Amino acid sequence: MDYKTLAHKAVEAKSNAHPPYSNFHVGAALLTQDDKLYLGNNIENSTFGLSICAERTAIFKAMSEGERKFKAIAIASDSPDFITPCGSCRQIIFDHCGEIDIICTNSKEEYKVFKTSELLPHAFGDEDLKK
Ligand code: THU
């Protein structure tokens, strides 16, 4: 699947967003190495801290179905600015997806591609636990 299509899937995923508190709708589309697609959206909770981002929803959905190898994740919101993953999601992407392409879109469906290491340089990971 090309990244323009993946970006559009993230826009479609956004329609299921549940952000009653921030009203900031986010969708994510995660592509596995064998081209399977998992969608996610943000889901907010009345205790705020239990809310989950679109990226993590997509990654946890995929991992709970047994997926472990990923190629790319696209993220979409209604903002005119390119949306990039929050710090927590960058760590989750680093730990569970590795060095993948992160497709950051704006509301015109234009996109920029970043590698995980560009968005989370000098990351702490499982290798550090073995030292
Ligand atoms: N959010 C995401 O789902 N992904 C991001 O990359 C940035 C932020 C969500 C979390 C919260 O529900 C809302 O957007 C506002 O921060």
Side-chain angles (χ1 to χ4, degrees):
M1 180 181 295
D2 62 49
Y3 287 164
K4 190 171 169 50
T5 307
L6 191 65
H8 188 69
K9 293 288 177 191
V11 173
E12 287 179 357
K14 182 165 56 71
S15 64
N16 287 325
H18 180 70
Y21 307 107
S22 72
N23 202 33
F24 191 76
H25 295 66
V26 187
L30 176 67
L31 195 61
T32 67
Q33 279 186 9
D34 55 356
D35 279 328
K36 276 192 264 169
L37 182 69
Y38 290 86
L39 302 181
N41 50 265
N42 59 331
I43 303 168
E44 294 181 353
N45 181 274
S46 60
T47 63
F48 295 2
L50 292 180
S51 302
I52 187 166
C53 292
E55 297 91 318
R56 271 178 281 165
T57 304
I59 292 166
F60 294 156
K61 274 174 72 178
M63 292 189 71
S64 71
E65 296 293 323
E67 303 292 348
R68 292 293 184 271
K69 291 182 187 298
F70 303 104
K71 196 189 283 184
I73 187 167
I75 310 154
S77 78
D78 296 320
S79 171
D81 297 329
F82 290 94
I83 182 165
T84 58
C86 77
S88 299
C89 287
R90 292 178 197 207
Q91 181 69 38
I92 293 286
I93 292 168
F94 174 76
D95 256 60
H96 297 304
C97 306
E99 183 76 332
I100 61 168
D101 288 332
I102 302 173
I103 321 304
C104 300
T105 71
N106 64 14
S107 51
K108 288 183 184 165
E109 265 184 63
E110 296 164 328
Y111 64 86
K112 287 182 186 172
V113 183
F114 297 98
K115 291 283 183 192
T116 305
S117 59
E118 288 181 87
L119 297 186
L120 192 66
H122 310 291
F124 180 89
D126 62 338
E127 288 300 318
D128 296 295
L129 292 173
K130 296 174 190 152
K131 289 170 192 163

